[in-house]
Amino acid sequence: MCWVNMAVALPLYLLFSLSGTSCISSGLPASSTGTFGRVFLVKDKKSRAFYALKQMKIPDVIRLKQEQHVHNEKEVLTEVNHSFLIRLFWTHHDERFLYMLMDYVPGGELFSYLRSRGRFSNATGLFYTSEIVCAIEYLHSKEIVYRDLKPENILLDSEGHIRLTDFGFAKKLSDRTWTLCGTPEYLAPEVIQSKGHGRAVDWWALGILIFEMLAGYPPFFDDNPFGIYQKILAGKLEFPRHLDFYVKDLIKKFLVIDRARRLGNMKNGADDVKKHRWFKNIDWEAVPLRKLKPPIVPKVSHEGDTSNFDVYPEDDWKKDPPVPPKDLEIFKNF
């Protein structure tokens, strides 16, 4: 268990519990090694509600060149409000850490359920894909590119509906960006080739995700990232025999190297995706209202149940020295 003294971290009006806080996640940036963030379960003494408190070491954020990603995450989460996205309630910093207070989603990562089952059925993959399509459509309507779609970043709430989390790579985008970021197996060709990329990368990543959910492994994998990149650029797809005809067609239309011809990135945007034959039985008006029946309902015994997450050992970060004023200046508006 992690114990954290929140009296220093949080302004007094939040009145958070000072003891018994579980360290439920250890954040790793996809582009580097070494932890720079932890997520703690905290409880509001007044409302008795549970929240997730993301705590990031300022020196590590700077060392790993994550400053802009941290600011982007705050900017994006401040702007969005959707049933399938994590919510941000408050941000703060002191002389050592950055803090972000967000929803606590107790069901755990979709990744855990996928690994325990090996692969999902067609119907299960269809359910999650439908909710993700609505989340991506909403983000793109706000000119936001998510850039980090993968099973580890999809949480399940207590009823089994999704919540996209970890918006460190998300960005408000009017045209293109050239930053290389994301998870190797999920990178679109235009990211690898540094051609400049936009919202089309999220539809590519959805094609990878659907394949991984239904096959149990991603379509392009290798022992090292460069091998993965070569396979992505070659674009050769080999489907397991059990995959449904229509889902194979959908995946092929997402995994098109030419962005102008990629499903979701053409004139009609997400509407083209929704009209695909794989979704023929989906009531798209019901999806964002959370009316579809989830195929997996997580075992959650109470609101603060952490059993669906790995609990990390205590790590006494309070011994870290305060950050110099010139470094704090970077985060003055955080």
Side-chain angles (χ1 to χ4, degrees), residues 154-215:
I154 302 165
L155 300 177
L156 299 188
D157 66 19
S158 57
E159 295 175 17
H161 295 282
I162 71 149
R163 289 288 193 92
L164 293 191
T165 189
D166 197 345
F167 281 71
F169 290 150
K171 190 175 184 180
K172 187 93 172 174
L173 209 59
S174 55
D175 184 26
R176 291 185 190 179
T177 184
W178 278 262
T179 317
L180 174 63
C181 63
T183 302
E185 289 87 350
Y186 279 74
L187 290 182
E190 60 266 29
V191 179
I192 296 166
Q193 294 173 321
S194 300
K195 287 183 172 180
H197 61 272
R199 292 182 288 277
V201 301
D202 288 338
W203 296 117
W204 174 280
L206 182 55
I208 302 288
L209 179 65
I210 296 169
F211 188 109
E212 182 169 357
M213 286 195 293
L214 300 182

Side-chain angles (χ1 to χ4, degrees), residues 217-264:
Y217 54 88
F220 310 113
F221 63 92
D222 197 89
D223 291 336
N224 69 78
F226 293 105
I228 295 169
Y229 300 154
Q230 286 176 329
K231 289 180 180 180
I232 289 169
L233 296 175
K236 187 181 178 185
L237 279 171
E238 292 182 10
F239 292 103
R241 284 186 178 180
H242 71 271
L243 256 60
D244 171 89
F245 171 81
Y246 290 121
V247 81
K248 286 192 282 190
D249 181 71
L250 177 65
I251 292 167
K252 285 177 191 171
K253 287 175 175 169
F254 280 139
L255 302 185
V256 170
I257 289 177
D258 181 357
R259 286 168 289 179
R261 292 172 46 245
R262 190 176 301 159
L263 194 68

Side-chain angles (χ1 to χ4, degrees), residues 48-237:
R48 315 294 293 169
F50 289 91
Y51 297 91
L53 180 69
K54 186 173 179 177
Q55 180 185 17
M56 295 167 278
K57 289 184 179 183
I58 292 175
D60 288 352
V61 171
I62 294 169
R63 178 175 58 83
L64 297 166
K65 297 181 170 58
Q66 298 292 312
E67 302 98 324
Q68 194 55 55
H69 288 157
V70 166
H71 284 296
N72 287 346
E73 182 170 19
K74 180 189 174 182
E75 180 190 359
V76 166
L77 286 176
T78 301
E79 186 174 335
V80 300
N81 181 17
H82 192 274
S83 53
F84 298 143
L85 305 179
I86 204 86
R87 286 178 299 170
L88 175 69
F89 298 104
W90 170 86
T91 59
H92 181 64
H93 74 82
D94 56 25
E95 294 176 329
R96 295 175 175 85
F97 302 103
L98 305 175
Y99 303 95
M100 301 178 79
L101 188 72
M102 296 178 281
D103 284 312
Y104 175 56
V105 185
E109 298 172 359
L110 187 67
F111 175 83
S112 303
Y113 297 95
L114 181 56
R115 285 295 168 268
S116 66
R117 284 162 173 75
R119 67 184 192 223
F120 291 150
S121 69
N122 190 67
T124 299
L126 181 61
F127 170 85
Y128 294 126
T129 304
S130 301
E131 294 197 338
I132 293 162
V133 166
C134 289
I136 292 174
E137 180 184 30
Y138 172 80
L139 289 171
H140 289 185
S141 75
K142 298 264 188 188
E143 297 192 326
I144 293 165
V145 58
Y146 178 53
R147 298 199 292 183
D148 207 13
L149 188 63
K150 58 182 177 179
E152 294 92 328
N153 286 344
I154 302 165
L155 300 177
L156 299 188
D157 66 19
S158 57
E159 295 175 17
H161 295 282
I162 71 149
R163 289 288 193 92
L164 293 191
T165 189
D166 197 345
F167 281 71
F169 290 150
K171 190 175 184 180
K172 187 93 172 174
L173 209 59
S174 55
D175 184 26
R176 291 185 190 179
T177 184
W178 278 262
T179 317
L180 174 63
C181 63
T183 302
E185 289 87 350
Y186 279 74
L187 290 182
E190 60 266 29
V191 179
I192 296 166
Q193 294 173 321
S194 300
K195 287 183 172 180
H197 61 272
R199 292 182 288 277
V201 301
D202 288 338
W203 296 117
W204 174 280
L206 182 55
I208 302 288
L209 179 65
I210 296 169
F211 188 109
E212 182 169 357
M213 286 195 293
L214 300 182
Y217 54 88
F220 310 113
F221 63 92
D222 197 89
D223 291 336
N224 69 78
F226 293 105
I228 295 169
Y229 300 154
Q230 286 176 329
K231 289 180 180 180
I232 289 169
L233 296 175
K236 187 181 178 185
L237 279 171

Side-chain angles (χ1 to χ4, degrees), residues 26-38 55-57 59-66 312 315 317:
S26 176
L28 286 169
S31 58
S32 61
T33 56
T35 303
F36 76 92
R38 287 284 173 103
Q55 180 185 17
M56 295 167 278
K57 289 184 179 183
D60 288 352
V61 171
I62 294 169
R63 178 175 58 83
L64 297 166
K65 297 181 170 58
Q66 298 292 312
Y312 289 80
D315 185 359
W317 285 7

